[in-house]
Amino acid sequence: ELPDRSVDFRTDRRALHQILINLAGNAIKFTETGHVRLRLTVVPVEAGRSGIEFVVQDTGPGISAEEQGVLFEAFVQGRAARLRGGEGTGLGLHLSRKLAELLGGELICRSTPGKGSTFVLRLREI
């Protein structure tokens, strides 16, 4: 039996939808073998308040530390995108981070070349 870890949460559904579509779409696009996982978790944020984390994890090519430093800038494409013929405009992650910030949250990336990437969208309880 799962514990009851509910949280009251309000957000702009269109913005949240766009962020999740961008993250999941990128994970699927760049993962040729292995898996893409999506997870939603209730997490403590501060005393008496919770938040939620949407985690998109893949076993794609991964992203170098250097590329991670500019990943959320406008019109920047990582090496994997360039190798695939420059698919996209390099705006998806930039816009996703801006939307996350407008929702009062954050979007971060953890990645290891050759082992995949994890993108975490954290939003706070309202």
Side-chain angles (χ1 to χ4, degrees):
E1 183 174 318
L2 295 173
D4 180 15
R5 295 184 351 170
S6 63
V7 59
D8 290 327
F9 180 73
R10 290 186 213 153
T11 191
D12 181 296
R13 69 178 179 87
R14 288 184 180 165
L16 178 59
H17 178 261
Q18 187 61 57
I19 296 168
L20 295 176
I21 289 295
N22 287 345
L23 297 178
N26 281 348
I28 291 166
K29 178 171 37 175
F30 294 112
T31 302
E32 293 184 15
T33 61
H35 65 267
V36 172
R37 289 192 176 116
L38 294 104
R39 186 175 68 240
L40 170 63
T41 307
V42 176
V43 295
V45 174
E46 54 193 39
R49 298 196 63 179
S50 297
I52 56 174
E53 282 187 349
F54 296 88
V55 178
V56 179
Q57 181 181 38
D58 67 58
T59 56
I63 304 164
S64 71
E66 179 182 1
E67 287 179 315
Q68 288 178 54
V70 296
L71 190 62
F72 294 101
E73 292 181 15
F75 303 109
V76 172
Q77 291 184 329
R79 182 175 183 275
R82 290 190 306 274
L83 290 175
R84 292 180 57 96
E87 291 181 26
T89 60
L91 283 174
L93 291 174
H94 172 74
L95 293 174
S96 293
R97 177 170 268 179
K98 292 296 182 190
L99 287 171
E101 291 169 354
L102 288 171
L103 296 175
E106 64 180 339
L107 178 60
I108 61 168
C109 172
R110 295 187 297 258
S111 188
T112 303
K115 295 190 177 185
S117 301
T118 301
F119 286 84
V120 180
L121 170 62
R122 290 189 182 118
L123 300 174
R124 290 174 177 71
E125 178 179 28
I126 295 177

